[in-house]
Amino acid sequence: MTDTAKINLLDFDRQGLENFFADLGEKPFRARQILQWVYQRNVDDFAAMSDLSKALRARLSETAEIRLPDVAMDQKSDDGSRKWLLQLADGNCIEAVYIPAGERATLCVSSQVGCALNCSFCSTAQQGFNRNLTTGEIIGQVLVASRQLTADGISCNENGRAISNVVMMGMGEPLLNFDNATAAMRLMLDDLVFGLSKRRVTLSTSGLVPEIDRLREACDVALAVSLHAPEDALRDELVPINRKYPIKELMDACRRYIGEDTRRRVTFEYVMLDGVNDSDAHARALAKLLRNVPAKVNLIPFNPFPSTRYQRSSPERIARFQQIIVDDGLVTITRKTRGDDIDAACGQLAGQFQDRTRRRLRNIGVDVQDVAS
Ligand code: SAH
């Protein structure tokens, strides 16, 4: 049993750890030592941290811990992708997905248990909101995945890293868990932790304007925005937070986020829903909307889930839609299906709440099927 009264040191970014050690009357460099032990040498036992004084080791053992999520399930697909169901100390479960593609290996991580935003085409929304993840639970997903992949001898590039990119595109709205999400991302960027470049960490948001404005200061990562409709009436329906922050305000925030940097772009995610947002007129409206925004567009074929009223647009429709916006000069990709199993992860992450056993079993059934297909 883990002792939840102990302080989980995964909850701290480097500054947080320095503060923690300052409170103990220790020097700031203790933070570096801890980060190296945990994230580089994969040592979690304070007693084994030989460059800390014996007294400090004893004190840490009594009051602190390195607590990772438990792996409740580990599903591997034929194409190398992998989905972990991770159980948290309170029994809730979340999911993280690993998606290798050549020299790139992306981990998709969750930021909340459930989600409050109620987007009509997203399965996470179906289960409502339970709670924010702690910083340790967010960075813990990356740590568990990278340790497991490394143990399996899997690396994506010559420097031996298991994970080259992280996307905050799992369960939850990361900007509604701002402090913990940004602290976890600062750890992802920290040289002593995962050392990822800021272009390789992407935060995806449904479009919370004030938090987009705060993000760059807190952690300057790549921004993806779940747009899904080129006009307010339709977006109000698909992404209800649009009623609070309509498209014009959102576009202004995106332009502010990019600022003067001509090399940067916001990625706009657009889920392709048959007969809903996928007409030629929608494509033209989208192209027009994005003319004055440094943008690239990511078309996502809809991933169905039980009880959804939506269907995926046909490949021909998606190709035609893409052609229209490309002809207008937009950089666009359609998120490729390497088997439906990878895309199945997107928008289908369910995780489980401890108190919803039936739904949990159903969801596991669905997820196993999707990953195996
Ligand atoms: N809350 C954040 C991040 C989580 S969702 C956000 O809204 O961006 C990650 C991406 O998956 C979003 O673009 C979301 O709109 C998309 N998505 C959700 N459900 C989906 C589904 N069923 N099929 C395809 N994409 C989906």
Side-chain angles (χ1 to χ4, degrees):
M1 273 305 280
T2 48
D3 180 352
T4 45
K6 288 185 173 178
I7 296 170
N8 186 6
L9 296 193
L10 297 185
D11 281 335
F12 296 124
D13 63 5
R14 195 194 292 218
Q15 183 64 54
L17 267 183
E18 287 180 0
N19 297 345
F20 168 80
F21 282 113
D23 288 345
L24 293 181
E26 293 281 339
K27 291 275 188 312
F29 70 82
R30 297 294 180 206
R32 292 181 73 92
Q33 292 175 311
I34 291 287
L35 293 177
Q36 274 166 328
W37 280 112
V38 175
Y39 294 100
Q40 299 190 0
R41 298 184 202 133
N42 296 319
V43 171
D44 298 341
D45 178 4
F46 298 119
M49 298 183 181
S50 50
D51 53 4
L52 306 183
S53 72
K54 282 230 166 88
L56 180 58
R57 281 186 251 170
R59 187 157 181 199
L60 289 175
S61 301
E62 259 169 47
T63 58
E65 63 183 341
I66 307 296
R67 190 190 330 126
L68 284 95
D70 289 328
V71 177
M73 204 187 298
D74 179 355
Q75 302 163 317
K76 295 179 191 171
S77 113
D78 286 344
D79 65 13
S81 65
R82 196 159 162 179
K83 175 141 93 178
W84 288 276
L85 181 68
L86 300 173
Q87 186 160 35
L88 310 174
D90 66 355
N92 279 310
C93 288
I94 51 166
E95 289 173 332
V97 179
Y98 163 78
I99 309 151
E103 292 215 333
R104 175 190 285 236
T106 303
L107 190 74
C108 176
V109 304
S110 297
S111 57
Q112 298 181 316
V113 185
C115 187
L117 289 180
N118 215 16
C119 297
S120 59
F121 52 88
C122 178
S123 84
T124 306
Q126 309 280 307
Q127 46 183 316
F129 175 68
N130 185 304
R131 70 169 174 86
N132 280 333
L133 296 184
T134 62
T135 301
E137 289 165 343
I138 299 172
I139 200 67
Q141 296 169 63
V142 189
L143 190 53
V144 166
S146 80
R147 285 184 181 181
Q148 292 223 342
L149 292 162
T150 305
D152 289 354
I154 295 170
S155 65
C156 63
N157 54 26
E158 65 292 339
N159 64 22
R161 273 201 196 134
I163 293 162
S164 65
N165 295 59
V166 176
V167 293
M168 304 284 288
M169 292 186 188
M171 297 165 65
E173 168 50 54
L175 291 184
L176 284 179
N177 185 11
F178 191 91
D179 291 346
N180 296 345
T182 51
M185 293 192 301
R186 283 192 296 273
L187 283 164
M188 295 170 203
L189 304 184
D190 194 314
D191 284 343
L192 294 180
V193 183
F194 292 104
L196 299 179
S197 88
K198 61 185 188 178
R199 280 150 204 268
R200 289 173 175 265
V201 175
T202 302
L203 181 138
S204 178
T205 178
S206 56
L208 286 112
V209 166
E211 284 77 14
I212 292 175
D213 281 334
R214 287 169 59 208
L215 179 62
R216 204 163 151 179
E217 187 68 20
C219 192
D220 183 15
V221 290
L223 180 67
V225 169
S226 295
L227 187 59
H228 306 317
E231 36 95 8
D232 283 322
L234 181 56
R235 192 164 191 268
D236 283 351
E237 195 187 302
L238 300 177
V239 186
I241 194 73
N242 193 69
R243 294 172 203 160
K244 196 163 178 194
Y245 304 115
I247 290 176
K248 182 178 178 316
E249 288 179 32
L250 180 56
M251 292 302 132
D252 288 345
C254 289
R255 275 187 286 264
R256 287 194 294 274
Y257 192 80
I258 293 299
E260 301 300 306
D261 191 340
T262 50
R263 290 160 305 174
R264 297 184 86 174
R265 290 191 176 143
V266 173
T267 300
F268 290 95
E269 294 154 291
Y270 197 100
V271 64
M272 296 300 288
L273 302 168
D274 184 36
V276 175
N277 65 353
D278 65 348
S279 70
D280 288 2
H282 289 123
R284 285 192 292 269
L286 179 64
K288 189 165 171 220
L289 174 70
L290 297 181
R291 254 176 224 161
N292 299 316
V293 187
K296 58 185 173 198
V297 176
N298 202 336
L299 299 178
I300 313 173
F302 172 63
N303 292 305
F305 51 89
S307 81
T308 182
R309 62 179 185 275
Y310 297 111
Q311 290 182 330
R312 178 184 288 189
S313 310
S314 70
E316 297 74 32
R317 178 88 304 263
I318 297 175
R320 166 90 184 131
F321 189 100
Q322 176 160 0
Q323 195 57 51
I324 291 172
I325 58 176
V326 166
D327 286 348
D328 207 86
L330 272 172
V331 177
T332 309
I333 61 151
T334 298
R335 210 170 274 180
K336 274 284 171 279
T337 36
R338 301 175 314 156
D340 265 336
D341 50 352
I342 305 307
D343 281 347
C346 184
Q348 292 202 316
L349 297 190
Q352 283 84 40
F353 298 178
Q354 193 181 23
D355 55 349
R356 298 193 181 180
T357 319
R358 279 220 195 101
R359 188 172 275 179
R360 173 193 306 199
L361 292 176
R362 197 185 70 208
N363 280 333
I364 290 172
V366 169
D367 291 334
V368 170
Q369 208 179 18
D370 287 332
V371 168
S373 64

